[in-house]
């Protein structure tokens, strides 16, 4: 019986042998015809309490393929306590690691397996660790002793690791255990009991003296090498390590786009019964297993090109195995020599795991289309007559090509000392149509995550090496695999890069524990709170906004097209021409009738892009005109209704041009209101953005007088470049026109919460009628109050949806007053208006735990699966007893806090500030170094080229590097690198607490020469 629904695909592999840490390294060993055989490591002798010096078979017992160490384990990754880790047989630990790596290799996440009926069957045997613990007395009164020594728990621990609910057992049929395990899982898949299974084998040798029985039996090689089928065959050498495979029904693997290493066509497990005396091998029993497998596969033996034999290199074993194969040849009438080989020549005899080692070797040969050489093969075993008539052992590699209708096929045998024989038949994976070529995106995100910060850095280092060695797949394929085929942990990082150099630079930063605008990292929390979309008012516009993104993002472009269609009845100019530059269009300097509809379309379309990337708002909030885009995004207003409101209202505003003025004041609202009493009816507080950020609006002459008064009092104040005074009584003259703009709209109730900056709280969206849109223009903007209430009560993640950040600083100031500041991210900036900037912002959300859809970032394409570096387990020693509680170590260089420990002088802090400033300026094309900036440390950040987004990023980088919490406006109040460094050093030095904090009013002397700095774009332009 064979077919896609009954055949079984090998979709994931893992293996570990001495010096071999995965399938790729194993393949190099095989293809090069190399061996891992050596001697028992001296470093392990003390742990094993082993001294072979006086043993008569010391050389024989000490020879083998031994791992350098077996005491390391990443207990934190596997959620195991130190005491339990010490009690666990290292066989259990190795099994957990290999099972994880096999699932990773298949591109399956742990979450995708959880709760499913997936079998786990493992072939293993005791390593001798339990005996060492008993000898040392460390098992006495040990709560975990029984769990650590139980062989059955190898499979059970793996089932628990992935939360899978299928069969879970450890099989023991002697040396054939792991291949018997694999055959059991194939039976289960073909029967329909499960559609996926993990099969594996592991073997470790704690004390080489445990091989004395095998030596006495004459099974071990006195030469310390294994020579299968060779004239020198005289025994095997023992080996350590293991291998796992993830199996899946072939039709499901093909449908899921899995990489299929090979297909299991048939299998057979048989006993030799009484056909030979134990432990002598039985040719009849072995032939029976092969014949059973051929029947299961519905194949003739002539269709099989190669057999990976049990091939122990023993005097009795090899001739008996070849005799069994001759029995099969005789029954099937095979007419050509059979190529045979044995992986034991490469890695020794892994005993219960030997079958899986041979299986993985064979699957790799089928996958790569190459038959590998047998190491150090001289001449055939003379005990096998006419060897070369029926058999062939390769001395050099040979290409292995399939033919139409006759794919590559191989058999794999494993023979137990007690007579349990297993044989499986593998076939080349079916040829599938090549996926359609996918256009390379302009920026590709590479998503990393790990259980710990150290593992995250190690993951970045592995990926950097992966890139340096030459990518096996396009960057987009690697990015897709990282984002969709790896389990996501709390410690996260993302590199967004457009080319190889940017990728390497980002990975290098992450490996050193650092970040940049396109290489971000963070720690996700379990509950992030609501996703809040914040839409600013006027001021975020810039020439060319949306043009690059329109070309890069079909989602954004489609939304802009829809907005253009909705706005077209109300405009005498083309939104598409303005965005794309394809035709004549008005200037953004032509006033509100152009700017406000254009910004509305940008914000609505950016929100749509966010939603396509999985960032769906729970709450929306707008600042002045931004509330119209917020209502549309929430679904409270249809796109057509919102377009009418924004277009007609902005046209009505032209009647106010030349009437009134506005000014920004860096002072608390209470201070401002007290002084406005001198101008009753002429001035009012128009906007309150934060604790010390207020806008005053009203009569032009009164605004001029107030500005002079505030400046005399030492308060930062300046005029805003606007042509009218919104959010003031002067708006009342266009009341009828604004009401007419909103007439006929039909606001709807929505599931998305609408938090009004008119009422400073949640609002029933059915109230968003014409009267509300007049109040929105006439009333005070209570943005700071609304944001603070939401942040304080519910936390959340705040996304400023705009072509350039205006409110990020204000929201950052409010967030800084809370014990746990919620993340605040922007969307685009005037310096970076492409999809890469959106993905970098998406990365900021992801690393803080917000749900995102990385698949959408790749345009819905599904590139071919690609190999990736495995998880970098952070092992530490667990041996016999749990390690004593070590004193807390100082963080390594590059870890959080490591740089803070070196910031013990003003010069060191200045160097840090200048290094971080230079790193940010490099993102804008600057060639300045940290040393250059130290020489220019009295120049303002504005003069160096900073804008608001860079200022916030500098604050974030300094917080991470120095372990402090600086306010979002630190580059506002400390405008030069020298001033900022002195302030930062004062925070790092111990400070006595002499009294209460000073009043938050900002003195004018601290805010010199920044009138046009984009850092204050919020104050300059963000209120209308």
């Amino acid at each position: 019986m064979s077919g896609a629904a009954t055949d079984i695909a090998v979709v994931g592999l893992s293996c570990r042998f001495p010096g071999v840490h995965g399938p790729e390294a194993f393949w190099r060993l095989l293809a090069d015809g190399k061996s891992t055989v050596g001697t028992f490591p001296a470093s392990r002798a003390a742990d094993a309490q082993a001294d072979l010096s006086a043993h008569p078979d010391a050389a024989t017992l000490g020879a083998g393929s031994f791992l350098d160490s077996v005491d390391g384990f990443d207990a934190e990754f596997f959620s195991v306590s130190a005491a339990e880790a010490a009690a666990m047989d290292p066989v259990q630990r190795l099994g957990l690691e290999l099972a994880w790596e096999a699932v990773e290799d298949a591109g399956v996440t742990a979450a995708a397996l959880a709760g499913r009926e997936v079998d786990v069957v493992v072939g293993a045997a005791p390593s001798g660790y339990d005996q060492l613990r008993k000898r040392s007395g460390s098992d006495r009164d040990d709560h975990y002793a029984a769990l650590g020594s139980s062989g059955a728990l190898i499979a059970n621990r793996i089932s628990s690791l992935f939360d899978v609910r299928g069969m879970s057992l450890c099989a023991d049929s002697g040396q054939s255990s792991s291949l018997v395990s694999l055959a059991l899982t194939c039976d289960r898949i073909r029967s329909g009991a499960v559609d996926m299974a993990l099969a594996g084998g592991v073997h470790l040798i704690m004390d080489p003296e445990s091989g004395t029985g095998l030596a006495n039996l004459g099974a071990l090689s006195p030469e310390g090498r294994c020579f299968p089928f060779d004239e020198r065959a005289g025994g095997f050498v023992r080996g350590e390590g293991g291998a796992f495979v993830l199996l899946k029904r072939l039709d499901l693997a093909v449908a899921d786009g899995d990489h299929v290493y090979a297909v299991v066509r048939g299998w057979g497990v048989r006993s030799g019964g009484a056909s030979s005396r134990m432990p002598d091998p039985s040719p009849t029993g072995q032939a029976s297993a092969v014949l059973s497998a051929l029947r299961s596969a519905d194949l003739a033996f002539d269709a099989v090109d190669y057999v990976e034999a049990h091939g122990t290199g023993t005097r009795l074993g090899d001739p008996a195995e070849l005799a069994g194969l001759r029995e099969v040849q005789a029954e099937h009438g095979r007419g050509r020599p059979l190529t045979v080989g044995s992986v034991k020549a490469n890695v020794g005899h892994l005993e219960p795991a030997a079958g899986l080692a041979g299986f993985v070797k064979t699957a790799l040969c089928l996958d790569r289309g190459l038959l590998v050489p047998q190491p150090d093969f001289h001449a055939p075993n003379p005990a096998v007559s006419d060897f070369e008539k029926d058999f062939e052992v390769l001395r050099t590699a040979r290409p292995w090509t399939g033919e139409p209708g006759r794919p590559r096929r191989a058999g794999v045998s494993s023979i137990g000392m007690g007579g349990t024989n297993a044989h499986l038949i593998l076939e080349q994976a079916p040829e599938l149509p090549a996926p359609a070529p996918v256009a390379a995106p302009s920026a590709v995100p590479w998503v990393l995550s790990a259980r710990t910060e150290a593992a995250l850095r190690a993951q970045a280092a592995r990926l950097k090496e992966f890139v340096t060695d030459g990518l096996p797949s396009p960057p987009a394929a690697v990015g897709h695999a990282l984002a969709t085929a790896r389990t996501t942990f709390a410690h996260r990082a993302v590199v967004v890069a457009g080319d190889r150099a940017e990728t390497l630079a980002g990975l290098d930063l992450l490996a050193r524990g650092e970040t940049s605008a396109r290489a971000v990292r963070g720690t996700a929390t379990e509950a992030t709170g609501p996703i809040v979309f914040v839409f600013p008012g006027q001021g975020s516009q810039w020439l060319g906004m949306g043009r690059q993104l329109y070309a890069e993002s079909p989602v954004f472009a489609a939304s802009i097209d829809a907005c253009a269609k909705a706005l077209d009845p109300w405009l005498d100019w083309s939104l598409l021409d303005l965005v794309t530059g394809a035709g004549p269009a008005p200037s953004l300097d032509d006033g509100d009738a152009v700017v406000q509809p254009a910004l509305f379309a940008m914000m609505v379309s950016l929100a749509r892009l966010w939603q396509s990337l999985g960032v769906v708002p729970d709450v929306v909030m707008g600042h002045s005109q931004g509330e119209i885009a917020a209502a549309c995004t929430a679904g409270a207003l249809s796109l057509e209704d919102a377009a009418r409101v924004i277009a007609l209202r902005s046209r009505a505003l032209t009647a106010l041009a030349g009437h009134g003025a506005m000014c920004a004041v860096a002072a608390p609202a209470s201070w401002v209101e007290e002084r406005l009493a001198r101008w009753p009816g002429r001035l009012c507080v128009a906007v309150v953005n934060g604790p010390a950020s207020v806008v005053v609006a009203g009569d032009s002459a009164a605004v001029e007088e107030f500005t002079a008064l505030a400046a005399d009092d030492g308060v930062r104040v300046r005029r805003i470049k606007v042509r009218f005074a919104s959010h003031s009584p002067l708006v009342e003259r266009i009341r009828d026109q604004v009401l007419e703009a909103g007439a006929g709209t039909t606001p709807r109730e929505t599931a998305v919460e609408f938090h009004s900056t008119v009422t400073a709280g949640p609002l029933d969206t059915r109230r968003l009628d014409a009267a509300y849109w007049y109040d929105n223009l006439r009333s005070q903007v209570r943005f700071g109050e609304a944001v603070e209430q939401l942040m304080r009560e519910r936390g959340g993640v705040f996304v400023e949806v705009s072509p350039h950040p205006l409110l990020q600083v204000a929201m950052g100031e409010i967030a800084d007053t809370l014990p746990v500041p919620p993340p605040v991210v922007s969307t685009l900036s005037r310096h970076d208006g492409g999809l890469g900037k959106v993905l970098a912002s998406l990365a900021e959300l992801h690393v803080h735990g917000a749900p995102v859809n990385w698949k959408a970032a790749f345009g819905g394409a599904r590139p071919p699966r690609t190999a990736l570096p495995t998880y970098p387990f952070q092992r530490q020693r667990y041996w016999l007893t749990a390690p004593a509680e070590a004193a807390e170590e100082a963080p390594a260089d590059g870890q959080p806090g490591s740089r803070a420990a070196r910031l013990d002088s003003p010069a060191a802090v200045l160097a840090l500030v200048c290094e971080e400033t230079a790193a940010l300026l490099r993102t804008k094309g600057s060639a300045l170094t940290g040393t250059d900036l130290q020489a220019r440390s009295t120049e303002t950040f504005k003069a160096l080229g900073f804008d608001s987004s860079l200022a916030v990023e500098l604050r974030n980088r300094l917080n991470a590097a120095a372990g402090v919490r600086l306010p979002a406006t630190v580059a506002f109040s400390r405008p030069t690198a020298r001033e900022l460094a002195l302030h930062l050093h004062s925070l790092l030095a111990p400070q006595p607490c002499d009294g209460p904090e000073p009043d938050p009013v900002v003195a004018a002397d601290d805010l010199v020469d920044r009138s046009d700095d984009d850092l204050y774009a919020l104050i300059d332009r963000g209120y209308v």
Side-chain angles (χ1 to χ4, degrees):
M1 180 172 64
S2 181
T6 54
D7 288 345
I8 293 144
V10 181
V11 297
L13 300 176
S14 68
C15 59
R16 189 86 51 80
F17 309 106
V20 173
H21 299 287
E24 284 301 319
F26 189 32
W27 178 248
R28 289 193 295 271
L29 179 85
L30 295 169
D32 293 342
K34 301 295 185 182
S35 168
T36 62
V37 174
T39 58
F40 192 75
S43 59
R44 288 177 55 187
D47 281 344
Q49 304 169 19
D51 183 5
L52 297 175
S53 58
H55 199 287
D57 293 317
T60 299
L61 296 174
S65 176
F66 299 106
L67 297 171
D68 288 336
S69 63
V70 295
D71 58 347
F73 184 56
D74 191 342
E76 185 173 357
F77 178 87
F78 292 104
S79 303
V80 173
S81 70
E84 186 174 0
M88 288 171 65
D89 190 317
V91 165
Q92 293 186 12
R93 306 177 198 169
L94 180 59
L96 284 169
E97 290 188 5
L98 289 173
W100 183 269
E101 289 176 356
V103 170
E104 267 195 335
D105 184 63
V108 179
T109 65
L113 294 179
R116 293 177 58 184
E117 291 193 14
V118 176
D119 286 350
V120 178
V121 187
V122 182
S127 70
Y129 185 69
D130 190 43
Q131 294 301 314
L132 290 181
R133 299 195 80 230
K134 287 178 179 176
R135 271 187 244 158
S136 69
S138 58
D139 65 331
R140 297 170 190 166
D141 303 319
D142 187 341
H143 175 72
Y144 298 104
L147 300 178
S149 61
S150 172
L153 261 70
I154 301 173
N156 302 157
R157 286 188 185 277
I158 294 168
S159 295
S160 176
L161 171 67
F162 294 109
D163 187 23
V164 293
R165 315 296 175 84
M167 180 173 68
S168 182
L169 64 90
C170 187
D172 186 359
S173 61
Q175 289 74 10
S176 61
S177 295
S178 61
L179 209 63
V180 169
S181 298
L182 201 153
L184 285 174
T185 62
C186 289
D187 269 334
R188 293 266 294 169
I189 294 174
R190 182 167 282 181
S191 71
V194 294
D195 54 34
M196 191 180 290
L198 262 172
V202 284
H203 187 233
L204 295 175
I205 303 163
M206 295 300 107
D207 181 356
E209 193 172 355
S210 64
T212 300
L214 292 171
N216 293 339
L217 195 63
L220 297 186
S221 169
E223 296 185 45
R225 290 295 303 275
C226 185
F227 301 111
F229 314 118
D230 196 284
E231 62 183 0
R232 296 167 293 170
F236 62 81
V237 293
R238 305 180 77 192
E240 289 187 311
F244 269 73
V245 295
L246 184 65
L247 306 175
K248 188 175 184 179
R249 222 172 68 195
L250 177 60
D251 60 329
L252 299 180
V254 170
D256 291 342
D258 296 326
H259 175 74
V260 178
Y261 289 95
V263 176
V264 183
R265 281 287 303 271
W267 52 91
V269 178
R270 292 292 186 271
S271 170
S275 60
S276 65
R277 186 184 65 178
M278 194 180 300
D280 294 348
S282 166
T284 300
Q286 295 170 32
S288 176
V290 177
L291 290 168
S292 174
L294 288 168
R295 287 192 297 272
S296 172
D298 193 22
L299 289 172
F301 195 38
D302 196 56
V304 176
D305 305 315
Y306 169 78
V307 166
E308 172 65 22
H310 189 61
T312 56
T314 54
R315 286 182 293 274
L316 288 177
D318 287 359
E321 184 170 10
L322 295 180
L325 289 173
R326 276 178 165 162
E327 288 187 25
V328 178
Q329 287 176 330
E331 181 165 329
H332 275 251
R334 183 182 178 92
R336 60 190 176 115
L338 175 68
T339 304
V340 295
S342 172
V343 77
K344 294 173 182 63
N346 302 95
V347 296
H349 192 345
L350 272 73
E351 300 171 40
L356 251 295
F359 183 92
V360 169
K361 168 191 169 180
T362 308
L364 289 172
C365 288
L366 284 162
D367 185 54
R368 311 296 172 94
L370 186 73
L371 284 169
V372 297
Q374 180 103 325
D376 201 24
F377 182 76
H378 281 185
N381 190 329
V384 181
S385 61
D386 295 326
F387 184 98
E388 292 176 337
K389 174 186 175 184
D390 294 324
F391 304 107
E392 176 189 29
V393 177
L394 295 183
R395 292 177 172 86
T396 59
R398 176 192 296 166
W400 191 6
T401 57
E403 300 172 4
R406 196 179 186 283
R408 300 186 288 270
R409 294 193 184 97
V412 182
S413 289
S414 193
I415 300 169
M417 188 181 294
T420 302
N421 309 299
H423 188 84
L424 282 86
I425 294 176
L426 299 181
E427 184 175 282
Q428 171 187 354
E431 295 287 343
L432 300 176
V438 179
S442 57
V444 176
W446 281 20
V447 182
L448 295 70
S449 76
R451 289 269 197 209
T452 64
E453 173 67 21
L456 184 66
R457 294 197 309 276
Q459 186 78 286
R462 284 193 177 186
L463 279 169
K464 180 186 175 186
E465 183 179 357
F466 182 63
V467 176
T468 303
D469 291 345
L471 284 176
S473 303
V478 176
H480 187 276
L482 286 168
T484 64
R486 283 295 168 93
T487 296
T488 303
F489 299 104
H491 291 269
R492 302 176 181 182
V494 182
V495 174
V496 179
D499 55 36
R500 182 177 183 273
E502 287 183 0
T503 301
L504 284 171
L507 292 172
D508 182 63
L509 283 172
L510 294 177
R512 291 186 280 117
E514 300 178 10
T515 61
S516 72
R518 292 292 185 94
V520 302
R521 63 188 173 96
T523 304
T525 57
E526 291 186 3
T528 58
I531 302 294
V532 184
F533 278 9
V534 180
F535 300 83
Q538 195 166 319
S540 64
Q541 69 273 9
W542 49 277
L543 183 64
M545 64 179 183
R547 188 165 302 167
Q548 181 181 350
L549 193 57
Y550 188 92
E552 294 176 333
S553 169
V555 173
F556 177 80
S559 182
I560 287 289
D561 291 347
C563 289
K565 182 178 180 181
L567 286 166
D568 188 63
W570 317 107
L571 304 180
D572 57 3
W573 50 274
S574 167
L575 175 68
L576 287 181
D577 287 348
L578 180 69
V579 172
T580 65
S587 168
L588 290 174
D589 294 329
D590 287 349
D592 301 282
V594 174
V595 171
Q596 292 199 8
L599 280 177
F600 165 80
M602 282 291 299
M603 291 189 287
V604 167
S605 299
L606 289 173
R608 180 69 194 92
L609 177 57
W610 275 116
Q611 290 168 307
S612 75
L613 294 170
V615 184
V616 179
D618 302 297
V619 179
V620 295
M621 180 183 297
H623 190 292
S624 190
Q625 75 164 72
E627 285 202 306
I628 302 173
C632 182
T633 298
L637 290 183
S638 68
L639 179 60
E640 291 72 22
D641 281 354
R644 171 191 165 95
V645 172
I646 193 71
L648 295 183
R649 197 179 84 155
S650 62
R651 187 187 303 167
L653 285 170
T654 60
L656 294 181
H659 298 280
M662 304 180 78
C663 67
V665 190
S670 58
W671 185 93
V672 174
E673 287 169 347
E674 180 181 342
R675 283 147 183 82
L676 291 188
R678 304 185 186 187
W679 296 274
R682 298 176 64 196
L683 294 179
C684 68
V685 173
V687 179
V688 180
N689 281 313
S693 179
V694 173
V695 175
V696 170
D699 176 77
S700 298
V703 167
E704 195 68 34
E705 294 167 13
F706 171 80
T707 300
L709 172 69
D712 289 343
D713 284 354
V715 173
R716 158 91 169 159
V717 60
R718 59 193 177 85
R719 291 283 292 268
I720 298 175
K721 297 173 184 178
V722 293
R723 293 184 287 183
F724 54 85
S726 57
H727 307 291
S728 78
L730 295 177
V731 171
E732 293 170 6
R733 66 172 60 195
I734 61 168
R735 178 178 181 275
D736 291 343
Q737 296 96 308
V738 174
L739 289 173
E740 175 60 27
T745 58
T746 308
R748 299 170 293 205
E749 185 177 13
T750 69
V752 179
E753 296 178 33
F754 183 93
H755 281 235
S756 168
T757 52
V758 175
T759 64
L763 185 75
D764 185 340
T765 51
R766 290 171 295 186
R767 293 178 54 191
L768 299 179
D769 55 12
Y772 180 85
W773 297 119
Y774 171 73
D775 290 342
N776 164 272
L777 183 63
R778 167 63 181 84
S779 302
Q780 182 186 103
V781 178
R782 299 165 64 185
F783 178 77
E785 186 180 348
V787 169
E788 181 179 12
Q789 179 185 11
L790 188 56
M791 284 186 174
R792 192 174 298 280
E793 293 179 359
R794 298 172 61 186
V797 174
F798 288 73
V799 182
E800 182 174 350
V801 185
S802 65
H804 188 79
L806 286 184
L807 301 173
Q808 190 177 15
V809 172
M811 289 189 286
E813 281 192 286
I814 296 168
D816 284 340
T817 65
L818 304 176
V820 181
V824 178
V825 304
S826 60
T827 304
L828 297 178
S829 84
R830 59 171 50 94
H831 307 294
D832 193 350
L835 185 60
K837 177 62 173 72
V838 178
L839 295 178
S841 298
L842 186 73
E844 289 278 4
L845 295 181
H846 170 73
V847 301
H848 287 101
V852 305
N853 178 11
W854 284 113
K855 284 185 180 180
F858 296 89
R862 188 175 71 179
R865 287 277 165 82
T866 185
L868 295 172
T870 56
Y871 185 89
F873 295 115
Q874 301 300 291
R875 302 180 184 92
Q876 58 180 337
R877 178 178 167 85
Y878 295 95
W879 195 255
L880 304 181
T881 58
E885 290 296 324
E888 184 177 350
E889 297 180 359
D893 189 36
Q895 290 182 273
S898 63
R899 299 181 71 174
R902 302 198 304 268
L903 301 177
D904 53 359
S905 68
V909 179
L910 178 61
L912 169 67
V913 172
C914 291
E915 287 172 10
E916 300 294 356
T917 302
L920 290 171
L921 289 175
R922 280 196 293 272
T923 66
K924 295 180 62 178
S926 170
L928 291 172
T929 66
T931 303
D932 296 335
L933 291 176
Q934 288 188 56
R936 298 170 59 178
S937 61
T938 58
E939 292 186 32
T940 65
F941 292 115
K942 167 197 169 183
L944 292 171
F946 261 50
D947 59 22
S948 58
S949 58
L950 289 186
V952 174
E953 180 62 21
L954 177 61
R955 184 283 299 260
N956 294 342
R957 292 171 70 98
L958 292 176
N959 281 354
V964 298
R965 280 184 58 182
L966 296 169
T969 54
V970 69
F972 172 93
S973 56
R974 315 287 172 177
T976 70
R978 181 169 298 279
E979 290 180 58
L980 181 50
L982 289 172
H983 175 63
L984 178 56
H985 182 258
S986 72
L987 297 177
L988 293 170
Q991 295 291 322
C993 183
D994 294 328
E997 292 292 323
D999 193 329
V1001 174
V1002 182
D1005 291 344
D1006 291 334
L1007 306 164
V1008 179
D1009 193 26
R1010 279 153 277 160
S1011 60
D1012 295 321
D1013 192 342
D1014 185 59
L1015 175 60
Y1016 314 113
L1018 168 66
I1019 296 174
D1020 289 341
R1021 302 188 300 271
Y1023 309 109
V1024 293

